[in-house]
Amino acid sequence: MQQIDATPLSDEELQGLDAYWRAANYLSVGQIYLLDNPLLGEPLRPEHIKPRLLGHWGTTPGLNLVYAHLNRVIRQRRREFLCVIGPGHGGPAIVANTWLEGSWTEAYPNTTQDEQGMGRLFKQFSFPGGVPSHVAADVPGSINEGGELGYSLSHAYGAAADNPGLVVACVVGDGEAETGPLATSWHSNKFLDPVRDGAVLPILHLNGYKIANPALLARIGDEELTALLQGYGHEPYLVEGSDPATVHQAMAAALDHCLDRIDEIQLEARSSPERPARAAWPMIVLKTPKGWTGPHTVDDLPVEDTWRSHQVPLSGVRTNEEHLRQLESWLRSYRPEELFDNDGRPVERLLEFAPGPDLRMGSSPHANGGMLARDLELPPVEEYAVPVKRPGAEDGEPTKVFAAYLRDAFRLNAEYNNLRLFGPDETESNRLSAVYEATDKAWLGDRRATDENLAPDGRVLEMLSEHTCQGWLEGYLLTGRHGLFSSYEAFVHIVDSMVNQHAKWLKTINRLDWRRPVPSLNYLLTSHVWRQDHNGFSHQDPGFIDHVVNKKAEVVRVYLPPDANTLLSTMDHCLRTRNYINVVVAGKQPQPNWLDWESAALHCARGIGVWDFASNDEGDPDVVMACAGDVPTLETIAAVDLLREHLPGLRIRVVNVVDLMRLQDSTEHPHGLSDAEFDALFTTDKPVMFAYHGYPWLIHRLTYRRRGHDNLHVRGYIEEGTTTTPFDMVVLNNLDRYHLAMDVIDRVPSLGTRAVATRQYFADQRVRHRAHVTKYGEDLPEVREWRWTS
Amino acid sequence: MQQIDATPLSDEELQGLDAYWRAANYLSVGQIYLLDNPLLGEPLRPEHIKPRLLGHWGTTPGLNLVYAHLNRVIRQRRREFLCVIGPGHGGPAIVANTWLEGSWTEAYPNTTQDEQGMGRLFKQFSFPGGVPSHVAADVPGSINEGGELGYSLSHAYGAAADNPGLVVACVVGDGEAETGPLATSWHSNKFLDPVRDGAVLPILHLNGYKIANPALLARIGDEELTALLQGYGHEPYLVEGSDPATVHQAMAAALDHCLDRIDEIQLEARSSPERPARAAWPMIVLKTPKGWTGPHTVDDLPVEDTWRSHQVPLSGVRTNEEHLRQLESWLRSYRPEELFDNDGRPVERLLEFAPGPDLRMGSSPHANGGMLARDLELPPVEEYAVPVKRPGAEDGEPTKVFAAYLRDAFRLNAEYNNLRLFGPDETESNRLSAVYEATDKAWLGDRRATDENLAPDGRVLEMLSEHTCQGWLEGYLLTGRHGLFSSYEAFVHIVDSMVNQHAKWLKTINRLDWRRPVPSLNYLLTSHVWRQDHNGFSHQDPGFIDHVVNKKAEVVRVYLPPDANTLLSTMDHCLRTRNYINVVVAGKQPQPNWLDWESAALHCARGIGVWDFASNDEGDPDVVMACAGDVPTLETIAAVDLLREHLPGLRIRVVNVVDLMRLQDSTEHPHGLSDAEFDALFTTDKPVMFAYHGYPWLIHRLTYRRRGHDNLHVRGYIEEGTTTTPFDMVVLNNLDRYHLAMDVIDRVPSLGTRAVATRQYFADQRVRHRAHVTKYGEDLPEVREWRWTS
Ligand SMILES: Cc1ncc(C[n+]2csc(CCOP(=O)(O)OP(=O)(O)O)c2C)c(N)n1
Ligand SMILES: Cc1ncc(C[n+]2csc(CCOP(=O)(O)OP(=O)(O)O)c2C)c(N)n1
Ligand SMILES: [Mg+2]
Ligand SMILES: [Mg+2]
């Protein structure tokens, strides 16, 4: 691998850098170990040591080195940088650095830059009531917690998008690099426009180990590693060594070179009338020992430069005198007396080494995206509404209707460069292609004459990696911009754990007063469980909703708009919100338009409501038929139609739910209905047949405390399905109109015997259905052609 | 990229291959389009066409090409092959090929190899009552459904493991290759032992497109692609073209070369006394047009060799005469009259072209793993039990106790090569390192003197990719071997969607009589939500349980053993089962041993039970205190201790749940308790305080139908946490002993006023706790040192 053969640092610069690095290392070790005696004013004693030693040392010296060197180039180039730390378990490193540069104290004024503050900094780390061990939201300058490994690079690219002046340095752990999400996210460079976007500088931290094993990339040899990184589209530069002075020179030289290359690439792209060919962006491979500068051996076992340095190299410090002694000499090896004055304040040359408040990474407004976020300009949503003269008389394709609105949203915000659409190559399949009238798909790879809608500066990002889409979007949102992820419902489970982490991030920033709310994470799940006509069983899973509702109520919203106008209204709302995870499930197939714009807007504002057009209960129902989701709504209305025809006296109330969280208790969720409202809608003593989009148990979990819960019968997806007709899907899961109607007959007291012939007719229809689809491969005409006419 | 410059096929061979390929293509198109007239005995008419055109053509001709060429080399080399199809949406291809070779008819005797059978084959595809559109479990020879893309390579490596004679050819879609799981799974070659394992031959299918976009790898140029694949550790060979004869020669030459290389690599490794250096395994890049041999243009738009060929190139066949005409000439272009005799039976030379029943891929017993699976030899589990003189008197580390048993299981099965342990570098951290006394960690990368327990033939597979671990394990199980995946509880969500697919696979094989049951997928989740001492909030998520219980009850089992002996008993059971997904959550930290072996074995067999030692209700409790999970059990028993001390008259029954599915209704889950049993245990009218390991709502979802449900109060993880002390974690979530005791006081009628002072003392203890941990960083002595003594 190439190395830059230069020693750009003067002695003074070298010493400055090294001092800064030593200071950060000292502060990191202090956080892991010290409860007291932060400046080592007296010899270390057991009572100065924390009773529980937590945290990770191994990765820390490398992170500190990177941070110090970035500070140098920021000062020299006066350019905005952000630093994304893949191995975020090296939390002490970034906490230390932000304290040194002053941004920590700005966020947490009590943790002053003096002995008392240093003592607090040390004590609070991984301590009850203190700060967690990762580069979490609590850490200024962070947009990547790094607890769950694998998302640093996609976050970095999301941050760089539409920020042409920004350089996002991204440290990737050599262990982290083994994760699937990270491994594919290298290809993000084919979606980065050198004109409109900023730059990402990956720094692969080849410290050789993960927890208890060597890292793969550290053990495939230089040739394979070089080929791999070139294959990813990069020009890699090696910085290798364990002698600090040598590494400082090499790192400075490599950084200078890489940043010059970035300037060249950007300048060329920005100044040439024709687009130059895609450039191989530079990157750094930093090969230094894990646990560098820590104890070389402990209890006669090698620690530095082995996996044993991963967590806490010295574990018996409170009880083992030798460990205590080793810790003290380790700490003193950084020569704290040169780094902090008697008051514990970093000495002047350290303070000067850090960039000023305008450019230091811990204060970057990009990392506190709410500071920069501008509300979207949104078109007047009612103008996109489909006319609905009679409920259910005509069909619409909800996502297609929404697409026109989204297209115009792109147009209205074009000058602000703050909106993007993400998807794993499903935008077209999800009928959102109207957006291509306003913008293209980002594509920096080779192009062919037959390609369509590809351009370097497209705002639609499509890569067949749900992980990368999600990571990009998170990075984009956390730096204060807006976005929407459209995915198949089943496959959004691929990012379950990423959603967890984002939900945790949002929960955390809600209680950090210096963090401003960021635009919401919006999902549009349109190829959903009921309409996988081409695909079948593997594509049928509505459980993402169950997954997200386990997260804190304050951050989670779930919407199931049943038709085009309700989808419009829902999306228009979601795009205006902050700090939420909005999950919207809606169909892309033609389906009846139920509500005109005015009713739709009211219905969505309420989130739940009686549908008068389908109800004949006059305030006193025999049965409540509730529904949530487009297909369940269709089946419910069709069931009502059947019941009205066959049992005209039956008083039916239809309740539709758009905002699923309305079902929960108002004490459990901010959107929850009060008991009085719930009881009024659903009654406390009448049977309620609930046709639900997803797994039926979720409705019980949301409503088990309600008074009428014992009367609630839910139909939903019970994991039955294959490649079959749309109506057969609902039949297989007992969610079809006939079954719903039979359910009503079974539950409404006294109907049973009276309606036995009707019930039998419904049951027979299901048999007829089976015979018909098996023979003809399409649904019964009376099902396909059914329309609400009552 | 290298190409093999040879034309190994004689004219006759070439024609034979081409005929086989044409036959498969014909049969594929037939499946997508034809309801009748399978042999084109008469001109195509609209009524011969399916009313709904489903399926994917684009990938199909490439898959058919691969299958035909594999048949050729299987016949020549008489070697066992398996074929894993990444883009499984090309289902028609493999259905066609297995019908041609005879394995389809063997599995489904009604679908004979004649005109009637062909007609059935066509009709059933993506048809109600028929077969789904992917290479699902319904397809003989398949171990990878390929509906959710990304897992083909890891499945292939799992299949090759411990099968030294097997070659697993694996077609990777160029779109699929963009997914994270696939991108990192290339590195699996560093875990494949050329001595003990078989070979994997990746075939990257560079057909240029995914759904509506070009594929990245097809647009980065030859140089980058070559570097990338070399960087992954492969020696790639290019097969490129669109002229069938040329491609046939090139493909045959490349295949011959690659298989020779595989032989060489294996021979060298197997015959040399010293291990040779890790070899670069060969692979093929197959660059042919998407939708090859299909309509070139449709409605004047280019289709072949563009993304438009992805699904159904001609969509209007029933109504558009031109489309119908195009379809007919497309079908006839394969010259069916040369391929099938008048009875629709494949002509003799096709039948001879396929390998015989012993070697044809659709009949491979490896792909129907239950046929080969041998039950594990397991050591006498009771011999590993820890002695428990008094409940709770001593601590044990459950996973460490289990590790000794597992070590011996490795020893007992060493000669059968049928057991493996998988994890993302957490085996050591999860205290399972005793297994290294019996086997090593597989590692073919470079090694250093300080490394430990690494060897080419280790049976522990550790890569920092939950996806790859899961994929390997699935491949290993589906080919009839046994395994265990140990992961942090929170991060197992990373494989949520993979678990979905596996659960669907298991459900499907349950109704396929020719598929034999495969060993269960076993999870041991040991670094769980309550003990993330080093890590905090990002590592806290017990929702995997919620995720799996949405799957079909027939395949899902969840166990929460509260101590060492119950863990032993549970694991001993799980390792003997088939066709399940067993989720076991258990601690790795020292915690009280509650049950001696005999009680533990009985308790686990029951799955739920009253704990006499902690109960004093004598059949008539004032309150039932239920618990599931190690930490909730500890807190419950400690709460009982407090209550006994402070409120001696209170009659408490303690119920512990190991098998979570016992809570469900017996009609919902095979493990479910009958209502009578449930009522007897929990009463129907007494307050039940339930301390649960995970999100509390799950307990409600499982029990909402039970009579006593209204009296059930659940405490669990409510998404509160950070890096803090173990007891602080339960306090933050109101699951601590004091809170549980207060809950009892609040719910047992009449206790309220009488026990007010006690309640206040408990509340004060929580305040004392807060003050103490904030000051000292560790838990109150009375909490740390508490022991059950009552
Ligand atoms: C997805 C995921 N799986 C497993 C872990 C557990 N884990 C924590 S740190 C670590 C090793 C990280 O290695 P590396 O990225 O090389 O970081 P460094 O060497 O810099 O510590 C692992 C496996 C995790 N944090 N995330
Ligand atoms: C994980 C996942 N995300 C999205 C999809 C939707 N999808 C189905 S096929 C396809 C394109 C596949 O492209 P490729 O792998 O190149 O297959 P081929 O070109 O051979 O059809 C996509 C994105 C999927 N099946 N799986
Ligand atoms: Mg590392
Ligand atoms: Mg492709």
Side-chain angles (χ1 to χ4, degrees), chain A residues 122 224 293 298 417 447 490 609:
Chain A
F122 288 2
E224 270 182 34
T293 72
V298 176
N417 286 318
R447 280 194 269 161

Side-chain angles (χ1 to χ4, degrees), chain A residues 381-423:
Chain A
V381 59
E382 62 281 4
E383 293 184 5
Y384 302 82
V386 291
V388 178
K389 272 169 250 120
R390 256 186 327 107
E394 278 164 62
D395 283 354
E397 286 156 273
T399 53
K400 209 163 168 181
V401 171
F402 165 63
Y405 168 89
L406 186 60
R407 173 199 60 210
D408 292 347
F410 272 110
R411 286 184 178 144
L412 283 173
N413 296 280
E415 61 182 297
Y416 309 113
N417 286 318
N418 62 346
L419 176 62
R420 297 216 183 195
L421 175 62
F422 301 79

Side-chain angles (χ1 to χ4, degrees), chain A residues 227-272:
Chain A
L228 183 66
L229 299 172
Q230 287 171 341
Y232 279 134
H234 280 291
E235 203 174 85
Y237 294 93
L238 180 66
V239 174
E240 179 172 13
S242 60
D243 167 54
T246 315
V247 175
H248 283 310
Q249 290 287 8
M251 183 70 177
L255 254 185
D256 284 348
H257 180 82
C258 291
L259 293 170
D260 288 347
R261 270 301 290 146
I262 286 174
D263 285 347
E264 277 167 35
I265 292 170
Q266 291 183 332
L267 193 71
E268 196 196 343
R270 291 171 193 187
S271 56
S272 29

Side-chain angles (χ1 to χ4, degrees), chain A residues 59 87 89 173-176 205-211 215 290 310:
Chain A
T59 192
H89 50 271
D174 50 3
E176 183 192 14
H205 191 194
L206 214 66
N207 63 10
Y209 298 91
K210 28 198 204 251
I211 295 185
K290 189 150 183 172
H310 179 68

